[in-house]
Amino acid sequence: MTVQARLTDVRPELDPGPEPDVDPHVLLDYRADRSTAVRLVLGGGARLRSGTVLYAGTTIGGRFQTGHHVVVREECTIGDDVSIWSNSVIDYGCRIGDRVKIHTNCYVAQYTEILDDAFLAPGVTIANDLYPGQADSARLMSGPRIGAGAQIGVNVTLLPFVSIGDGCLVGSGSVVTRDLPDGTVAYGNPARVRGLVADLTDIAERVVPDPGSSSPYRARPRTSGP
């Protein structure tokens, strides 16, 4: 069923907002075999790009935006002003706060919690099954908790059950296997705490202009030590 048949399901009782801006080839209220949910609840002012599929039984706040080919499964709760960009998948049973940004090619596993203002860079992969293939593990599967304002770098992998503290910065390519305290910088495989976000060098001190390039800045050359 295409979205044009479902525009009356935008939730006027909670957020009348403007009508959603919807490309062709968007599916709303897609029914999962495992769920008895009867409808999708979508806030006002959404911008849904082609290839988006939103499952029945999920509740999404106002001003939701998707890139192309985004899938949001059933039984998710998503806040206001959330954006999910192209080719990302939110599996069932997730809870996502307000103003969360999920970039391209991300996978968010079932039962993951992402708090307000968090950011997932391209290629973040989230796991929720500690012992894949074991029935007991499948019954207990749980994704991580990503704290408010946490920033998760490119191609980071987050393992089941871990808690990423509020305001953390996780470096690109890291594999997070243990909890990270609030406000810490962590990177590596396995990721280890390397310092505090508050102590990071100001970005302006780490770059120099690169006139004429498609990238306006590049890393400042390092001075060689003695």
Side-chain angles (χ1 to χ4, degrees):
M1 181 181 295
T2 59
V3 68
Q4 286 82 359
R6 303 295 303 180
L7 291 182
T8 55
D9 279 352
V10 174
R11 53 177 192 180
E13 73 280 10
L14 296 181
D15 184 359
E19 282 288 298
D21 182 3
V22 180
D23 286 354
H25 309 297
V26 168
L27 294 177
L28 297 186
D29 256 358
Y30 190 90
R31 306 303 172 95
D33 293 340
R34 61 173 295 280
S35 175
T36 59
V38 295
R39 67 189 293 252
L40 167 75
V41 179
L42 178 64
R47 174 68 178 101
L48 307 178
R49 292 173 176 82
S50 60
T52 294
V53 180
L54 305 181
Y55 277 55
T58 277
T59 298
I60 300 173
R63 301 165 299 282
F64 181 60
Q65 291 200 54
T66 66
H68 302 282
H69 304 290
V70 167
V71 176
V72 180
R73 290 282 305 269
E74 68 277 11
E75 300 170 9
C76 293
T77 301
I78 298 176
D80 294 330
D81 301 298
V82 171
S83 59
I84 303 173
W85 297 122
S86 299
N87 303 311
S88 289
V89 175
I90 312 300
D91 222 322
Y92 60 81
C94 293
R95 185 163 58 186
I96 298 174
D98 296 335
R99 301 174 301 280
V100 169
K101 298 184 186 303
I102 297 173
H103 219 295
T104 57
N105 299 313
C106 293
Y107 175 68
V108 178
Q110 299 98 320
Y111 310 119
T112 294
E113 182 172 17
I114 305 175
L115 275 63
D116 296 349
D117 301 300
F119 171 73
L120 275 58
V124 170
T125 300
I126 292 176
N128 66 356
D129 191 349
L130 196 61
Y131 303 136
Q134 294 190 14
D136 286 346
S137 182
R139 284 192 292 271
L140 298 174
M141 65 182 180
S142 177
R145 175 191 181 276
I146 301 174
Q151 310 289 295
I152 312 300
V154 172
N155 290 331
V156 167
T157 299
L158 304 178
L159 294 192
F161 309 115
V162 300
S163 180
I164 309 299
D166 294 350
C168 280
L169 175 61
V170 181
S172 298
S174 298
V175 178
V176 181
T177 63
R178 297 181 182 276
D179 293 355
L180 300 178
D182 293 352
T184 54
V185 177
Y187 53 88
N189 181 3
R192 300 185 187 280
V193 173
R194 313 287 180 156
L196 299 175
V197 172
D199 295 334
L200 289 172
T201 303
D202 189 278
I203 187 65
E205 298 180 27
R206 298 191 60 177
V207 299
V208 293
D210 191 10
S213 170
S214 60
S215 301
Y217 296 95
R218 61 184 174 85
R220 184 182 297 276
R222 293 176 181 238
T223 57
S224 59

